[in-house]
Amino acid sequence: MSTRAAERPNVLLILVDDLKPTLGCYGDVHAKSPNIDALATRGMRFDLAFCNQAVCAPSRFTLMLGSHSTSTGLYGLGSQLRQIVPDAVTMPQHFARHGGYYTESLGKVFHIGHGNYGDPDSFIAPHFREKVIEYVDPASTDGGKLTREEAYFTNQKLGQIRSLPRGAAFESPDVDDTAYADGRVALETIRRLRQAKKRREQDGTPFFIAAGFARPHLPFSAPKKYWDMYDPATLPMPQHEDLPEDAPAVAGKRGGEITNYKPCPTDRNAEFSDELKRQLIHGYYASTSFVDAQIGKLIGELDRLGLADSTIIVLWGDHGFHLGDLGIWTKHTNYEQANRIPILIAAPGVTMPGSSTRQPAESVDLFPTLAELAGLPAPDGPQPVDGVSLVPVLKDPAARVRDHAYHAYPKQKIGRAIRTERYRLVEWRPWGDADAPAEYELYDYESDPLETRNLAADRPEVVASLRNILAQYPQPVDRNAPTTAATSPKIANRPLTIAGSVRKASGDGVIVAQGGRQHGYAVHLLDGRLAFDVRVRGKVTRIVASEDTPNRFDFEATLTSDRMTLSVNGKSVADSASPGLIPVQPQDGMNIGRDELSAAGDYPAPNPFAGKVVQVKVTPGM
């Protein structure tokens, strides 16, 4: 090990899933988070920190690459890093190559699930994988059955999700911390810290350890003692449960992830009872306290080992979480509660203990910041590096390296946002058309922190100023050029013929899809066989070929009011009663080779096709 490597600081990167600033150190008087609060007293708290996309997998890519999702095209839960950016150099790879670091990952670091397998190439040590969706009480899983979200996160039965039972949204058994994954991740991280100290004493090798915790991601499964810390009657209930007045329809959300958990309503427009809201909010706070305790164990061990003075500690939430505000649950929006995150940085000799800043910070900034703190070259790709170093701010909380943060969310339109200390502007524009008319949202967090009304029409001068900032960013990467809803075939209440040609099929995936979680269709390969899915009012009807499909084939799928058919190379391979015609025009546009937004079929989006689609033609009848 070189002398320079032996002098470098260690890095302990703590990642927490779905954690927004419901923490004592951020002023939440209800939260019981003594260990994270104590960490904040060691360094700097970023009061205006934001993720770059409020979805687990893309957010973690932005952290590890220093790149906006709009720069890479890594937009989805199933987006494959090495398919889309094959030569990317991630943060741990940079530290190993340029600083001689021994790099390790434990728990939820890269997103694994929804057809994604993380990035094993990023770390030197094999990944210590643990569960994200986990239950102890058999009643939570209908007696031990595989639930929908368990299947998603373990890449099981991805084509059969809707046939699986829903797991419980919360449970609180009287068990030890290690009954759940986060307790086991903490225990193993402590063991790795001890090994890392011995390695450093033997040959000077610095460590880079990324420890990822699953809670407070749903389900809110946490030992009873953490639930008992709270009186649910005293916890804050949502103050405003309507979507912002005058906001574009594309910006809102109802249903989504939460509907995969019982007893939450499956109807995306159904009301949640006050009792259920309170149980969910209680569960979120209890889960946060559970994770806080695990983080306390890591920091305590770091102190016991005498490593605190030579280790940079970072705490990062991958995105925020809606707890019924605006009538929304979980994340997947461009609104404040989904995008504001905690970032704490304790850098011995650099950060002032107990300091804070209102510098707008982004997830992408942590890569260049940590590289500079470790004395490494600034990251330079080959992926686009959008982050800036926050080291000047760590040295002086009043310093500024930019006057805003940027984030985005992909739907049937791409929504890109600029967040300043006071305002957020969101521009919703059709994919792949920078000249198309856009819809705008503007929120003033001084006068309207709850985002009750879109002010874009009232304050055109503010919109113009923030649009000028947004114009400085490159146009978003349009992964596989998904067709917009406006230019997709008009299929509502019309029979359909979907025909095409495929060459070099080497695996499964979507050939063509149009629509999403409520209505649409998809032709795809499943276990090597051609399948045709039709979704009506959220329910999928599927027909599948009885034999494996060749790697070169032509196909035709038809939908009428009473039949679904499927043929390969002119031969009928499946035929069944249909659910009827698709009754409304889907919001999500047509995609070829993947299903970019919400899934039209019964599979996790984007479900990219392993092969070449030569031609597709969708012909609506009369």
Side-chain angles (χ1 to χ4, degrees), residues 268-333:
R268 64 197 300 265
N269 294 311
E271 294 287 332
F272 283 55
S273 69
D274 283 350
E275 178 186 10
L276 179 56
K277 293 174 194 174
R278 199 171 292 284
Q279 288 174 314
L280 291 167
I281 292 167
H282 188 187
Y284 186 89
Y285 275 88
S287 297
T288 299
S289 292
F290 173 40
V291 166
D292 175 80
Q294 311 318 307
I295 291 170
K297 294 172 187 177
L298 303 192
I299 307 302
E301 185 66 14
L302 207 66
D303 289 340
R304 191 191 71 79
L305 293 171
L307 293 171
D309 290 340
S310 58
T311 302
I312 301 164
I313 308 172
V314 176
L315 181 134
W316 172 80
D318 67 346
H319 43 67
F321 200 89
H322 290 282
L323 286 171
D325 57 283
L326 306 179
I328 301 172
W329 294 89
T330 73
K331 51 271 185 183
H332 308 145
T333 76

Side-chain angles (χ1 to χ4, degrees), residues 496-516:
L496 298 176
T497 300
I498 305 150
S501 299
V502 170
R503 302 293 181 264
K504 300 181 180 179
S506 58
D508 293 343
V510 170
I511 298 169
V512 58
Q514 182 179 351

Side-chain angles (χ1 to χ4, degrees), residues 356-499:
S356 65
T357 181
R358 287 183 63 79
Q359 163 68 61
E362 304 176 19
S363 298
V364 294
D365 297 334
L366 288 177
F367 189 169
T369 300
L370 289 173
E372 182 174 350
L373 288 173
L376 306 182
D380 59 359
Q383 73 273 13
V385 176
D386 298 305
V388 298
S389 174
L390 299 169
V391 169
V393 183
L394 295 178
K395 294 177 178 178
D396 176 6
R400 293 292 179 266
V401 296
R402 72 158 84 81
D403 63 1
H404 65 277
Y406 170 98
H407 61 85
Y409 194 79
K411 299 180 80 171
Q412 60 267 33
K413 296 181 179 180
I414 178 68
R416 299 188 299 153
I418 296 295
R419 176 62 156 94
T420 66
E421 287 196 52
R422 179 172 178 177
Y423 294 105
R424 171 180 279 108
L425 176 82
V426 185
E427 176 193 85
W428 292 98
R429 193 180 293 277
W431 287 93
D433 190 350
D435 298 322
E439 296 178 280
Y440 289 96
E441 296 178 90
L442 179 70
Y443 301 100
D444 181 343
Y445 294 93
E446 287 186 4
S447 65
D448 185 19
L450 300 182
E451 300 166 315
T452 63
R453 184 166 177 265
N454 175 17
L455 301 174
D458 297 344
R459 302 189 188 176
E461 72 288 349
V462 178
V463 171
S465 174
L466 298 179
R467 284 183 64 186
N468 287 336
I469 296 175
L470 186 59
Q472 298 170 19
Y473 285 85
Q475 287 300 307
V477 171
D478 197 5
R479 181 63 183 170
N480 275 12
T483 308
T484 66
T487 58
S488 292
K490 304 302 181 184
I491 63 174
N493 292 308
R494 301 174 73 176
L496 298 176
T497 300
I498 305 150

Side-chain angles (χ1 to χ4, degrees), residues 78-92:
S79 293
Q80 305 292 318
L81 172 59
R82 299 298 168 181
Q83 287 183 12
I84 296 175
V85 195
D87 299 322
V89 175
T90 63
M91 190 194 312

Side-chain angles (χ1 to χ4, degrees), residues 11 17 104 110 128 286 295 306 328 343 389 411 445 456 495 501 518 576 578 587:
V11 176
D17 209 348
E104 305 181 71
F110 285 98
F128 180 80
I295 291 170
I328 301 172
I343 290 181
S389 174
K411 299 180 80 171
Y445 294 93
S501 299
Q518 287 299 308
S576 178
S578 85
Q587 293 184 339

Side-chain angles (χ1 to χ4, degrees), residues 415 505 526 535 579:
L526 175 67
R535 188 186 291 271

